Amino acid sequence: MTKSVKISRGMARKWERHMPLKFRLIGQCFVTSGAVLLIVLTFLWSQYLFPTMLDSNVAFDAVLNQYDQFTNDWTFKDFEHREQDTATDLFILYLWHVTNTENFIESGYKPRLQEKGPYAYMKQAYRYHIDWSKDGKQVTYKEWWYLQKADSTEACRLMFFQQGLGEYNEHTRDRPAGCAADNETVTMLNPKFMALQHRWTVQEIFGELSQSVFANIRNSMVAADAFPRTVKAELTPDAISDVWTYRLAVHASSALGAVVSALGSTDASISFALSDSSTISHFNSLALSPIAGDVAFGTADVIKAEALASGVAESEATLTTRQAAYLLEPANTISVLNYERGVPLWIGTARYLGLVQSSGLEDEASPAYQLAYNQVLNDLKVLEKSPDATRVVALGIARHLYGPTGWMTTPGADEYRTKEWAGEQAFLRGGGCDCGSYSTGLYADVAVAISPGLYYYRCSWGLASSLDFHAPWEDDAVVSPMNSSLTKWIIDPDYEDTRNDISIHSDENLVRWWQVYEYCNVSRSGRSPSCEAMIDASRMAETFIPAVMFDLSQHTLKSFSATVNTRSVGPDDSTFISSNGSNTANMVALVQQYQAQACAVAGHLYEAWALKDHWHEVYVASRMSRATGFEFLAGRLEDLGYAQWGGGYVTSALWGVPSVLNIERKGYWKFGIASPSPTLNLIEFHSQAMAVGYSNMNMTKESARILLDALAANGPRARTFRGKIGEVATSYRCPNAGSDGGCADSESANCIRFHRRTSADCYEGVKDDNKDDIKFGVCTCHPNGSYFVTQNTFGNFLGAVPPSVNKNTSDDENLDQAASLLAEEFMSSAVTCQRIQDYYKQCSWLETEPRYSFWLVNCKTWETLISDPTYGIYCDLETILKVDSAHNHDYQSATIHPYGRRRGIIIAFWLQEWSTYRVLIENRLVCNEPDCSECLSKGYCDRAYNYGGLFVTHQAKRLLFEGYVDRVAMTLLNSELQYYNLSVRCQDHSTIKLDEYCNPVENNECTDGGFEIIDRLGVSRKFQHNGRHKRDWYLPEIILNPTNISHYIEPKTQPKDTMATLSSRTLTIENPAFAIYPGKLWAPDVTINLRRGCEGDEVCKFHQETDCVNRFLGGKGKWQNCTSTLVTGKNNLNDVQRVAEWRGNTSLVTGNEFVLRGPV
């Protein structure tokens, strides 16, 4: 028993000694194996199993293939279009708002910018035309998108914090308080204006804008109702005085005829042949003295006197009854009562004899009057008298009619003439306004032949044709004629008196009548004469002139005695108006009668006579030809304007001053604008040249016509020509370094040269020790260098003519001639400066003369340094302002005479300065009023410098999406469309104000109401933000059919479509409406499945077409096509949705050096 215990104890002890070690080893093995296995499994999981599983999952979800498209899997749906969430997918935009536009433009300050926004939207993008490569490694597609406005202003702030930026910028200004409202107003750099400068270039923009400047100048100078009418109006009193005298001679026969009618033909023949003493009792019984006065009716006494003086027998010379009857019979061509031939012949004879004053068109000893006298002698042969007796009869009858005591002095002749001019039909007679042999220019109908080489001339004499020039207060279309007394106060030169406020023979009164004409003309055209400039005109037409007429109608010159030293009506004529206005209906009618008669007189003077009458044109052409030495023709009086523009010849001849700027006419002259610089009022070329010291730069009227017509011409070649003038005048180019590029000695048309007259004018470039390049000198420049100069005085303006497509056309010849005129060089001298100073002296002297003091102004414009060293024109007897060169821009430097300039320099100044002031500012395309809170209502500008030109101010959504219409773009488009007889204007072209002459100023803000293109027949095509063809508003280009602009043409849908592929009859123009993302808020119809295409949805099609064709990033044509390619990642998940090609390009290089790469 003991033994077994021991054994047990021994085994146990052995077990205890050996088994734990085994289990420990086993455990250790298991632990070691497990660790190894875990390490192996971990390695396998991270390096193989997990990537394999992940790649498999990613490959299933992320790698696109055609199967996904076939099964319409969610992965393909998400690729095709993924709905956006405001929490993570906001499309946020900011705009820079400029706050110091005034300082930026006027003083060149850096812009002060304020960030506006954020403006939050959700971008809904759809991919279409999805195609797979054969191996499935690539997918191609096109994409269109639109924006939806974020539904909450909190979206921007929440998204900011969700992106982890809130903690970082929690207390900074960058943290948005919320989304900004996109209807807030923003002022920013005008992208449309910048695009215009890129497309047109600055030179072409000024070349186009300046066309309207020079066209307006040409119209002001040559249009029939502008400068030529002004000259005709100025000479109207002289012409009317001549006709007034001639018509008195005509009406000598009228008075004689009245007596003949009273006596009867038989008694008249007997009495006409006898002496007056034998018929005096018969005259008294018929009470004919009011007609004849003290003038003898019989011719016997005057013929006897002539016979005695000539040594002819009295019995042979005196008339028989039969002969007297022949001379009194109106049907006979030599009759003293035949107004179509006999009367003009007798007046011509009287002029030959010195009995009647000659007109201003014929000399006193004109051969025409000799012809008239000879014709009278020839026609009197019918009396069967001897030649000497016939000559005595001719002299006797001429003296009987027109001598100092002849019938021309009778009360009847004067009464007939007066009532005829007043418009009384019963007193109208023939005989014309003059007789002679002078040319009528292009108006052959004016002259009526009365014998070979002799004519009488028709004219619109008298008020008969103007009595219907009615004012709005008239009840009848034709006003009653004036009385004789009032007529004389207006028209008779003998009635010129300091107390006569209505005589046309006073400069001041002519202005008054012009004001009446303006008022009546505006009123009768249906416009309101309520504008500011019509205040004086309204007073003249409604009160002052009618009151004067009422007062003076009660007086003759004799009854207006010396004791009456003023009119009975006060200066404001309130007594006349108030007393008559509150009286009976008859008195009210009397007031209206004088108002209407005032309109008739003014209309006759400035329209029927000064604008339409052909004989008056003949008169003016003859007078101005003598005064200037140029030949002017009736029918071509526009030459007066060309002569004035080229040399100031007309105003110099009439008033001794070189410019219309020196004439104060308050109505006549409307050619200048109120501006700080007097030179901006100088519309004549010669005046502009004199303002810089070159009085010798004048042109003939023929040369002025060539140059002004070329500058005012329409079309691309004329635009380029004007733009090149500015470029030549401000550019110095030199193709070869170390030389002047051959410019000094070359006449190459492509070389813009900087003239070198002597070697002293040229210095070589100086090398800067601190730089490797050479400073630019007069004669050295960098290879192909281009340098700006203020005035390239000796630039080659012959190179301004652009190449012609059709050679040897009249336009080519005109531009070539114009360029030659611009290239002509003129040298300064003491003489040229003294001539300008002489104009100043003469003007200043005449300014003190009573006759001239009323209308001579601005004489100091022509004062030079000779008498005013501080403010005078920089020109004296020794020096002249030095023209700026490439190395010197000092305007106050001077050089000694001679110093040269070309005409092109003068024109180049206009291209910029006048385009800016007369087009951009006057037409409210650009505003130059820093503080202009009322500008919109006044029609000047909208928001100071903020609107138009460099800056634009609109609501943010207008600038970004809805679009605004740029005014400069509208102007340039209008210029382009003129060539096709089309025009563009705002649909809302309502009148926002009246200009100073009561012409309507139309609204030119087209953004809200849209614009329309109109042909000459009035057919239009409209473009509106919410119009019928809404997408036309957003497209960058508009396609028109010029022959039928109302016809809608589908826009081009393929990137490489050209105009030839559409139609040879279509016209593509640039849309003046612009937005940064045009139309992107235009949402499609969400009720249709946009994933399946755009069938039936116009908006969807619009977005597809515009995103594809126009490719807004970089502009149209910057990208080869609109197809993008993504790598699917089928063989390499690292390439999942990597962009292989974007819009047909493998490179995104942009800018001027942009190179298209990749397949088309």
Side-chain angles (χ1 to χ4, degrees):
M1 196 171 158
T2 306
K3 186 176 178 181
S4 61
V5 170
K6 289 181 178 178
I7 293 174
S8 174
R9 288 178 177 175
M11 290 297 291
R13 187 170 186 83
K14 188 176 180 179
W15 181 261
E16 290 175 354
R17 199 169 48 216
H18 296 287
M19 287 306 291
L21 179 62
K22 291 179 180 180
F23 280 109
R24 189 179 298 119
L25 291 174
I26 293 172
Q28 289 175 347
C29 288
F30 275 111
V31 170
T32 302
S33 299
V36 171
L37 181 62
L38 181 62
I39 292 173
V40 170
L41 289 176
T42 301
F43 177 80
L44 290 176
W45 176 259
S46 62
Q47 297 299 317
Y48 178 75
L49 295 177
F50 179 78
T52 301
M53 294 173 62
L54 182 63
D55 287 352
S56 177
N57 187 55
V58 171
F60 182 80
D61 290 338
V63 176
L64 296 172
N65 54 54
Q66 288 177 297
Y67 182 78
D68 294 331
Q69 183 179 15
F70 178 76
T71 60
N72 200 23
D73 187 78
W74 71 268
T75 56
F76 177 77
K77 289 182 179 180
D78 198 59
F79 173 77
E80 189 179 35
H81 169 68
R82 184 172 67 87
E83 292 294 332
Q84 305 294 297
D85 184 0
T86 57
T88 58
D89 299 312
L90 284 184
F91 184 88
I92 292 180
L93 296 169
Y94 292 86
L95 291 174
W96 290 112
H97 173 70
V98 184
T99 62
N100 64 334
T101 56
E102 177 189 349
N103 289 336
F104 178 84
I105 290 178
E106 289 193 345
S107 305
Y109 286 17
K110 292 181 179 179
R112 188 180 299 120
L113 304 178
Q114 176 186 348
E115 188 180 77
K116 290 277 190 174
Y119 309 111
Y121 308 90
M122 290 181 294
K123 181 179 179 180
Q124 303 293 350
Y126 290 84
R127 291 169 176 167
Y128 65 103
H129 288 180
I130 302 173
D131 294 314
W132 310 88
S133 63
K134 292 182 179 180
D135 58 6
K137 294 181 180 180
Q138 291 186 333
V139 58
T140 62
Y141 64 91
K142 295 179 182 179
E143 184 179 74
W144 67 274
W145 57 278
Y146 70 97
L147 297 176
Q148 290 178 323
K149 190 173 182 180
D151 55 2
S152 172
T153 58
E154 288 292 303
C156 297
R157 188 175 63 85
L158 293 175
M159 184 177 177
F160 185 85
F161 282 101
Q162 288 170 358
Q163 290 176 340
L165 301 176
E167 221 174 287
Y168 181 76
N169 285 326
E170 186 176 5
H171 303 292
T172 67
R173 289 180 299 173
D174 293 333
R175 179 174 62 87
C179 300
D182 60 5
N183 61 354
E184 70 176 347
T185 300
V186 178
T187 297
M188 60 179 288
L189 285 173
N190 188 348
K192 181 63 176 179
F193 188 72
M194 299 300 172
L196 288 173
Q197 292 190 64
H198 177 73
R199 176 199 166 201
W200 285 73
T201 74
V202 175
Q203 288 83 7
E204 285 194 323
I205 289 179
F206 280 117
E208 189 62 43
L209 296 179
S210 61
Q211 186 278 330
S212 62
V213 174
F214 287 107
N216 288 336
I217 290 174
R218 183 173 62 178
N219 289 337
S220 297
M221 299 308 299
V222 308
D225 61 348
F227 183 77
R229 174 162 69 175
T230 297
V231 178
K232 290 195 287 185
E234 180 63 27
L235 294 178
T236 289
D238 293 344
I240 287 181
S241 293
D242 284 348
V243 180
W244 182 254
T245 301
Y246 180 85
R247 293 305 296 176
L248 182 64
V250 169
H251 288 300
S253 296
S254 301
L256 185 67
V259 174
V260 171
S261 297
L263 293 174
S265 58
T266 302
D267 288 346
S269 300
I270 296 172
S271 300
F272 193 68
L274 300 175
S275 65
D276 200 48
S277 58
S278 61
T279 60
I280 189 66
S281 59
H282 189 41
F283 264 56
N284 291 335
S285 65
L286 295 175
L288 297 176
S289 59
I291 298 176
D294 298 331
V295 175
F297 180 76
T299 60
D301 292 339
V302 68
I303 290 177
K304 289 177 182 178
E306 290 295 336
L308 181 62
S310 302
V312 177
E314 178 181 321
S315 59
E316 184 182 359
T318 53
L319 298 174
T320 65
T321 301
R322 182 180 63 82
Q323 292 169 342
Y326 185 86
L327 292 176
L328 294 178
E329 174 54 51
N332 296 326
T333 57
I334 195 58
S335 170
V336 295
L337 302 181
N338 183 306
Y339 293 97
E340 296 304 310
R341 186 174 184 275
V343 171
L345 280 174
W346 283 109
I347 295 176
T349 299
R351 285 180 169 176
Y352 174 73
L353 299 174
L355 300 175
V356 177
Q357 179 182 338
S358 298
S359 71
L361 303 182
E362 296 276 10
D363 297 329
E364 295 290 343
S366 170
Y369 306 140
Q370 175 75 51
L371 289 174
Y373 176 63
N374 293 337
Q375 188 63 52
V376 166
L377 294 179
N378 185 67
D379 289 355
L380 286 178
K381 290 179 181 179
V382 72
L383 301 180
E384 298 179 348
K385 293 181 178 293
S386 66
D388 291 339
T390 301
R391 190 177 301 108
V392 168
V393 170
L395 295 175
I397 292 179
R399 291 191 184 277
H400 184 67
L401 292 173
Y402 313 112
T405 59
W407 278 87
M408 196 170 72
T409 64
T410 60
D414 184 57
E415 185 71 6
Y416 264 88
R417 176 182 64 174
T418 303
K419 290 186 175 181
E420 179 188 55
W421 192 86
E424 295 193 31
Q425 296 289 333
F427 293 86
L428 301 182
R429 296 292 185 271
C433 296
D434 196 14
C435 64
S437 59
Y438 47 84
S439 170
T440 57
L442 303 182
Y443 296 135
D445 60 313
V446 171
V448 179
I450 53 179
S451 69
L454 187 64
Y455 308 88
Y456 80 84
Y457 303 93
R458 299 190 181 104
C459 72
S460 300
W461 171 252
L463 291 181
S465 62
S466 301
L467 292 177
D468 61 347
F469 194 86
H470 60 86
W473 51 73
E474 291 184 53
D475 295 329
D476 300 322
V478 179
V479 69
S480 60
M482 296 180 296
N483 65 30
S484 298
S485 179
L486 184 56
T487 300
K488 284 182 172 291
W489 282 109
I490 295 173
I491 204 74
D492 195 336
D494 295 334
Y495 273 62
E496 185 176 358
D497 187 279
T498 56
R499 299 163 295 177
N500 184 356
D501 294 323
I502 57 176
S503 171
I504 67 169
H505 302 284
S506 162
D507 285 329
E508 187 173 4
N509 293 343
L510 281 177
V511 173
R512 289 171 177 152
W513 283 116
W514 173 263
Q515 290 173 327
V516 174
Y517 169 76
E518 279 196 306
Y519 178 87
C520 299
N521 194 42
V522 167
S523 300
R524 71 195 295 264
S525 66
R527 291 178 285 154
S528 171
S530 59
C531 54
E532 184 176 350
M534 284 293 171
I535 295 176
D536 290 340
S538 299
R539 187 177 75 88
M540 283 293 163
E542 294 180 0
T543 62
F544 184 83
I545 293 296
V548 176
M549 293 172 67
F550 171 77
D551 192 24
L552 293 181
S553 65
Q554 306 173 55
H555 296 282
T556 65
L557 189 60
K558 292 181 180 179
S559 67
F560 207 56
S561 63
T563 58
V564 181
N565 53 23
T566 185
R567 293 190 297 106
S568 59
V569 182
D572 61 355
D573 306 296
S574 57
T575 305
F576 167 74
I577 298 300
S578 60
S579 62
N580 290 308
S582 60
N583 253 321
T584 64
N586 289 336
M587 295 304 295
V588 173
L590 184 63
V591 173
Q592 292 182 348
Q593 171 190 317
Y594 284 118
Q595 290 171 334
Q597 287 176 344
C599 283
V601 173
H604 177 73
L605 291 175
Y606 291 103
E607 188 159 309
W609 189 257
L611 184 60
K612 299 178 180 179
D613 187 73
H614 289 176
W615 178 82
H616 190 47
E617 282 205 29
V618 174
Y619 183 90
V620 171
S622 177
R623 283 281 303 271
M624 296 312 302
S625 295
R626 296 182 184 185
T628 63
F630 293 115
E631 181 183 5
F632 296 103
L633 292 178
R636 286 189 59 181
L637 284 190
E638 67 270 15
D639 284 345
L640 290 171
Y642 288 117
Q644 179 64 25
W645 187 77
Y649 302 109
V650 177
T651 53
S652 295
L654 291 177
W655 301 285
V657 289
S659 172
V660 295
L661 175 69
N662 301 120
I663 311 296
E664 173 61 67
R665 271 292 186 255
K666 298 181 181 178
Y668 276 28
W669 310 97
K670 297 181 178 179
F671 311 124
I673 61 172
S675 66
S677 173
T679 58
L680 287 180
N681 288 319
L682 297 171
I683 69 168
E684 303 101 330
F685 169 81
H686 185 235
S687 298
Q688 290 284 349
M690 286 203 302
V692 294
Y694 287 79
S695 59
N696 55 340
M697 237 184 234
N698 52 307
M699 291 177 281
T700 65
K701 65 181 178 67
E702 291 78 12
S703 295
R705 176 190 287 270
I706 291 171
L707 183 54
L708 185 54
D709 285 354
L711 293 171
N714 281 314
R717 294 192 72 241
R719 176 181 67 233
T720 303
F721 175 65
R722 288 185 294 270
K724 283 288 186 180
I725 294 172
E727 183 180 349
V728 170
T730 58
S731 301
Y732 172 43
R733 293 177 181 168
C734 209
N736 299 319
S739 71
D740 63 0
C743 294
D745 301 317
S746 172
E747 294 297 332
S748 170
N750 296 322
C751 178
I752 301 176
R753 60 196 180 99
F754 199 50
H755 185 73
R756 183 179 65 196
R757 286 177 289 150
T758 65
S759 59
D761 295 326
C762 174
Y763 65 85
E764 295 298 328
V766 180
K767 187 171 182 178
D768 193 328
D769 294 335
N770 299 322
K771 297 180 181 180
D772 295 329
D773 61 345
I774 298 178
K775 291 182 178 179
F776 174 63
V778 175
C779 300
T780 51
C781 63
H782 298 293
N784 301 313
S786 178
Y787 299 89
F788 171 80
V789 292
T790 305
Q791 292 182 24
N792 185 4
T793 311
F794 301 98
N796 186 6
F797 290 96
L798 294 175
V801 180
S804 174
V805 177
N806 301 316
K807 300 294 184 181
N808 301 322
T809 64
S810 59
D811 290 341
D812 292 332
E813 182 180 358
N814 192 49
L815 290 181
D816 288 338
Q817 291 175 338
S820 297
L821 291 170
L822 293 176
E824 190 173 351
E825 181 180 349
F826 295 84
M827 305 305 293
S828 66
S829 68
V831 174
T832 59
C833 295
Q834 185 63 56
R835 187 178 300 147
I836 302 171
Q837 183 72 13
D838 289 343
Y839 273 122
Y840 163 69
K841 290 180 180 179
Q842 181 173 352
C843 184
S844 300
W845 172 70
L846 291 175
E847 210 173 17
T848 63
E849 295 294 308
R851 180 185 171 190
Y852 297 92
S853 59
F854 172 74
W855 46 263
L856 271 186
V857 294
N858 297 325
C859 294
K860 197 170 179 60
T861 301
W862 309 115
E863 190 171 15
T864 68
L865 294 180
I866 296 174
S867 59
D868 186 352
T870 304
Y871 299 107
I873 295 174
Y874 212 104
C875 181
D876 59 26
L877 301 181
E878 296 180 356
T879 60
I880 193 169
L881 179 67
K882 186 173 184 179
V883 179
D884 290 353
S885 65
H887 64 281
N888 189 350
H889 298 285
D890 182 10
Y891 270 109
Q892 297 306 312
S893 62
T895 184
I896 60 172
H897 298 301
Y899 202 83
R901 270 193 178 100
R902 298 179 188 266
R903 287 195 181 104
I905 296 297
I906 309 300
I907 298 299
F909 169 80
W910 268 343
L911 289 172
Q912 181 173 351
E913 295 294 329
W914 283 49
S915 296
T916 300
Y917 282 94
R918 301 238 166 179
V919 179
L920 296 179
I921 293 176
E922 280 194 352
N923 293 337
R924 297 168 291 115
L925 307 181
V926 173
C927 181
N928 69 329
E929 310 226 357
D931 297 314
C932 197
S933 59
E934 300 179 359
C935 285
L936 180 60
S937 60
K938 293 179 180 178
Y940 298 136
C941 59
D942 281 351
R943 299 176 184 87
Y945 288 108
N946 300 353
Y947 199 99
L950 191 59
F951 296 101
V952 61
T953 300
H954 271 299
Q955 293 178 346
K957 62 181 179 181
R958 285 284 196 192
L959 299 170
L960 290 169
F961 310 113
E962 294 180 354
Y964 64 94
V965 178
D966 185 79
R967 301 179 184 187
V968 177
M970 286 282 287
T971 300
L972 295 175
L973 177 58
N974 226 342
S975 299
E976 288 185 289
L977 291 177
Q978 285 180 3
Y979 181 79
Y980 303 95
N981 294 316
L982 302 174
S983 62
V984 61
R985 68 179 182 183
C986 297
Q987 286 197 54
D988 175 18
H989 52 277
S990 58
T991 300
I992 59 177
K993 71 166 189 173
L994 299 176
D995 68 9
E996 58 177 325
Y997 305 114
C998 287
N999 296 312
V1001 175
E1002 293 184 352
N1003 170 54
N1004 68 347
E1005 173 47 65
C1006 307
T1007 298
D1008 293 331
F1011 60 93
E1012 59 183 350
I1013 298 176
I1014 311 169
D1015 66 14
R1016 57 185 175 182
L1017 299 177
V1019 179
S1020 66
R1021 182 171 166 189
K1022 303 182 184 299
F1023 302 83
Q1024 287 178 293
H1025 170 238
N1026 292 313
R1028 178 182 175 186
H1029 297 290
K1030 190 173 180 179
R1031 65 179 181 178
D1032 281 356
W1033 175 266
Y1034 294 123
L1035 292 175
E1037 291 180 337
I1038 297 171
I1039 305 175
L1040 296 172
N1041 180 352
T1043 59
N1044 183 11
I1045 62 171
S1046 62
H1047 175 63
Y1048 184 77
I1049 301 176
E1050 288 292 331
K1052 296 176 283 185
T1053 58
Q1054 296 302 320
K1056 289 188 174 293
D1057 277 350
T1058 63
M1059 291 308 304
T1061 63
L1062 291 171
S1063 171
S1064 59
R1065 293 175 296 175
T1066 57
L1067 169 67
T1068 301
I1069 60 175
E1070 186 172 312
N1071 194 341
F1074 178 84
I1076 299 174
Y1077 297 100
K1080 284 306 176 184
L1081 288 182
W1082 193 14
D1085 184 0
V1086 296
T1087 62
I1088 66 174
N1089 188 354
L1090 297 175
R1091 296 175 184 271
R1092 292 295 169 260
C1094 294
E1095 293 298 330
D1097 189 80
E1098 178 190 7
V1099 182
C1100 177
K1101 289 182 179 180
F1102 162 77
H1103 287 299
Q1104 281 189 355
E1105 292 169 4
T1106 54
D1107 287 356
C1108 184
V1109 176
N1110 299 311
R1111 305 166 215 157
F1112 299 114
L1113 287 177
K1116 182 178 179 181
K1118 278 290 186 183
W1119 312 104
Q1120 290 205 17
N1121 52 54
C1122 57
T1123 300
S1124 297
T1125 302
L1126 296 182
V1127 178
T1128 62
K1130 180 178 180 181
N1131 294 336
N1132 186 355
L1133 291 180
N1134 291 327
D1135 289 336
V1136 169
Q1137 296 197 16
R1138 178 176 62 81
V1139 177
E1141 291 181 7
W1142 195 77
R1143 293 185 178 268
N1145 296 269
T1146 58
S1147 171
L1148 300 184
V1149 178
T1150 60
N1152 293 331
E1153 303 301 324
F1154 179 77
V1155 178
L1156 294 174
R1157 301 190 180 97
V1160 178

